[in-house]
Amino acid sequence: MIRIVVALSQDSRMPRPARSPLVVAALLAGVLVAPLSAQSKLPPVRQLPNPTARSSEPLSAVSAAVALPNGKVLVNDVLTRRVVLFDSTLNRLAVVADSTSATANAYGARGGGLLGFGGDSALFIDPASLSMMTVNAAGELTTVRAVPRAAEINLVVGGAGGRSGFGPDGRLYYRSQNRPRQAARNARPTVGNFVMPELPDSAPVLRVDLATRQVDTVAALKIQKVDVKVSQGVDGQMSVQTRINPMQMIDDWALLADGTIAVVRGHDFHIDWIAPDGSLRSSPKLPFEWQRLNDDDKQVVIDSVREAMERQRAEAQRMMVAAGGPAAFIQGGGAERMIVGGIGGGGGGGGGAPPQRAGAGERAQAAQGAQGGRAAGQGGGQGGGQGGGPGGGPGGPGGPGGFRIPSAQLVPANELPDYRPPINQQSAIGDLDGNLWVRTTAPGEKGGVLYYVITRENEIIDRIEMPQGRILAGFGKGGLLYTGFRDAEGKAYLEVTRWK
């Protein structure tokens, strides 16, 4: 039995309410309880086990994998715009939806989304037709329903806003977008009759009942903010410039298997757990080795991000020319790749490796953006800009009609934070066994991306390094994990492994 004696100070400098025995007891309870849920020692880093199977045929890009009963798995092959059904050994069973005449079910003119739905089925979201189609366990498209909020279809599909999903209550959870605020004319820069709106730095996570169309706000997040400037040339033409800070302290979120919302707070790396009934529980800070950046380190980060974004912009320019112009490129689904530079690349340089190994971190995060990255409406604006400013490169070669994809500008190196943020965009995801996976910026031992596996009790039960060239695409029950892999020839494959 442990006895604790509390001596109440009679110091007159202490406010009288603070000397109350009830207040002191409450403070003492907090001191005693907090260490029980805090974790001081991290588990060792483990390499992701070798895959037990690889898909029998190559894919263009593995955007998402949704596990179905009997080991079957649906894959969203986003760049060729098709949904493919595999068996447990990853041999192809059927093409569920396609952009060609190979199937009777059309994928749609733009890259869509794939979400688990009800445990034994999935929903394919087509942003072009504003519809959601149910895919049953046999890989058949059945019922069709309208999306709940047409204006936010791209946010429901996913991308920089995190992974949307359905809770056990059947309601849809996704990160929405606050509208830009129109400030007073004398408070914001003006160009002609145009008043530049103030872009938001926060966004809500919404919960939608598909039956009643009732919408609730369940959480609020700090998001990446882009500096946008509008100017007018001597010829009267408007010009828009964007500057991106790739290392902002932002939040991320994930939906867990039991309906809990986990919000990862980037400023101090703690988690807010929001239960299905709305109750909130904040956990202590997670143990993390914060990486301090000097001036040279910051410049390395900027150079790494610029290089990754320029490569992705040049690839998007090439694809647009091959498609026959910007209109054909966007209608053909190339827009998803066109704006990867603003989202996947922007998060890349701020990612996994310390400055002296920035190339490894950039490659790992660029793979995340190139294979699975798909920015929503706001993201397209974030990726644009006019070249030539601080951090910006020259514009790309002109495509059909002289159109070129502009280079995004980056902030000067001295505007980066003194410490590397612990997470980037699209860092959190819940598995089917109730755990939270958080991709951190901590360096992996072999140059890969390091994930924390966290229980609802805020215990880090594992740290797993994802090898370079692989992205986390989805989960199955019982410790199954699906990854997208791209080989040296540029072909993508789905792999499955068991992490525990």
Side-chain angles (χ1 to χ4, degrees):
M1 179 177 180
I2 300 175
R3 295 185 60 191
I4 300 176
V5 179
V6 179
L8 299 181
S9 171
Q10 300 300 319
D11 190 339
S12 60
R13 291 173 296 178
M14 180 182 292
R16 184 171 297 275
R19 287 181 270 166
S20 165
L22 293 178
V23 172
V24 174
L27 293 175
L28 181 59
V31 171
L32 292 178
V33 171
L36 295 179
S37 55
Q39 183 174 352
S40 59
K41 187 177 180 180
L42 289 170
V45 175
R46 289 197 305 127
Q47 299 300 311
L48 183 70
N50 292 329
T52 57
R54 177 180 291 182
S55 56
S56 57
E57 64 176 71
L59 306 166
S60 66
V62 178
S63 174
V66 175
L68 297 177
N70 302 322
K72 297 177 182 178
V73 57
L74 287 165
V75 179
N76 186 11
D77 190 5
V78 65
L79 289 188
T80 52
R81 307 200 315 281
R82 62 177 186 162
V83 176
V84 184
L85 177 66
F86 291 94
D87 64 15
S88 59
T89 62
L90 299 190
N91 287 312
R92 194 187 82 175
L93 294 178
V95 176
V96 177
D98 203 346
S99 57
T100 69
S101 58
T103 66
N105 300 308
Y107 182 97
R110 294 165 52 192
L114 188 66
L115 307 178
F117 184 58
D120 58 354
S121 59
L123 273 189
F124 172 67
I125 303 173
D126 180 12
S129 63
L130 301 178
S131 62
M132 301 187 298
M133 291 165 277
T134 304
V135 185
N136 63 21
E140 302 168 332
L141 291 176
T142 56
T143 57
V144 180
R145 68 191 77 195
V147 296
R149 307 182 86 183
E152 296 187 332
I153 179 63
N154 287 328
L155 296 168
V156 175
V157 166
R163 303 184 188 234
S164 305
F166 286 88
D169 56 3
R171 289 186 284 188
L172 172 65
Y173 294 76
Y174 72 97
R175 200 210 80 180
S176 182
Q177 179 63 47
N178 286 326
R179 294 183 178 181
R181 291 177 291 182
Q182 294 290 346
R185 177 173 292 273
N186 59 0
R188 300 289 296 163
T190 61
V191 179
N193 294 323
F194 178 75
V195 180
M196 185 63 205
E198 182 179 355
L199 296 181
D201 60 359
S202 64
V205 176
L206 301 183
R207 177 176 58 195
V208 183
D209 189 319
L210 296 183
T212 64
R213 302 293 165 132
Q214 180 179 352
V215 180
D216 299 317
T217 299
V218 295
L221 311 174
K222 179 176 175 56
I223 64 172
Q224 183 173 357
K225 186 174 182 180
V226 181
D227 181 20
V228 181
K229 294 182 180 179
V230 180
S231 59
Q232 190 172 25
V234 293
D235 57 356
Q237 299 256 345
M238 304 278 285
S239 175
V240 179
Q241 290 184 330
T242 63
R243 291 197 321 159
I244 299 174
N245 183 337
M247 294 188 68
Q248 299 182 44
M249 294 289 183
I250 61 173
D251 302 333
D252 200 17
W253 73 284
L255 174 65
L256 303 188
D258 65 349
T260 298
I261 298 294
V263 180
V264 185
R265 304 296 183 184
H267 70 282
D268 64 354
F269 203 32
H270 84 270
I271 301 175
D272 288 340
W273 307 89
I274 304 173
D277 62 3
S279 59
L280 171 66
R281 177 173 57 90
S282 294
S283 297
K285 301 176 185 178
L286 295 168
F288 185 76
E289 185 177 350
W290 292 80
Q291 304 171 49
R292 185 172 179 83
L293 303 175
N294 58 33
D295 292 342
D296 292 338
D297 299 336
K298 295 177 183 179
Q299 190 60 53
V300 168
V301 170
I302 290 294
D303 293 342
S304 298
V305 174
R306 183 188 295 114
E307 180 183 356
M309 293 174 68
E310 280 302 300
R311 283 203 308 268
Q312 293 174 6
R313 185 195 57 77
E315 173 66 9
Q317 185 76 43
R318 183 192 65 78
M319 294 174 63
M320 184 189 67
V321 173
F329 179 59
I330 294 173
Q331 292 171 2
E336 282 72 35
R337 282 292 293 273
M338 180 173 67
I339 58 180
V340 160
I343 298 299
Q356 64 270 23
R357 296 171 57 194
E362 176 270 308
R363 285 193 300 271
Q365 297 284 17
Q368 180 79 23
Q371 288 199 44
R374 186 174 54 255
Q378 179 208 7
Q382 293 180 4
Q386 306 294 320
F403 180 85
R404 67 182 186 182
I405 300 173
S407 299
Q409 296 183 30
L410 301 175
V411 299
N414 60 9
E415 293 189 20
L416 296 185
D418 292 333
Y419 287 88
R420 187 185 298 272
I423 60 171
N424 294 313
Q425 297 180 115
Q426 294 179 277
S427 293
I429 179 174
D431 66 18
L432 297 188
D433 298 317
N435 301 307
L436 170 67
W437 289 59
V438 179
R439 188 185 71 240
T440 72
T441 60
E445 296 178 350
K446 296 186 177 181
V449 178
L450 189 61
Y451 279 86
Y452 282 19
V453 185
I454 309 169
T455 67
R456 280 196 58 195
E457 289 70 37
N458 204 54
E459 180 186 1
I460 303 171
I461 58 174
D462 212 340
R463 288 193 300 163
I464 295 180
E465 182 173 354
M466 192 75 63
Q468 293 186 37
R470 286 171 173 81
I471 66 164
L472 179 54
F475 294 95
K477 290 185 178 180
L480 288 181
L481 183 148
Y482 295 95
T483 58
F485 166 71
R486 189 175 297 279
D487 64 15
E489 298 180 358
K491 297 178 180 179
Y493 296 87
L494 179 72
E495 295 180 336
V496 61
T497 186
R498 192 175 294 276
W499 68 272
K500 67 175 182 178

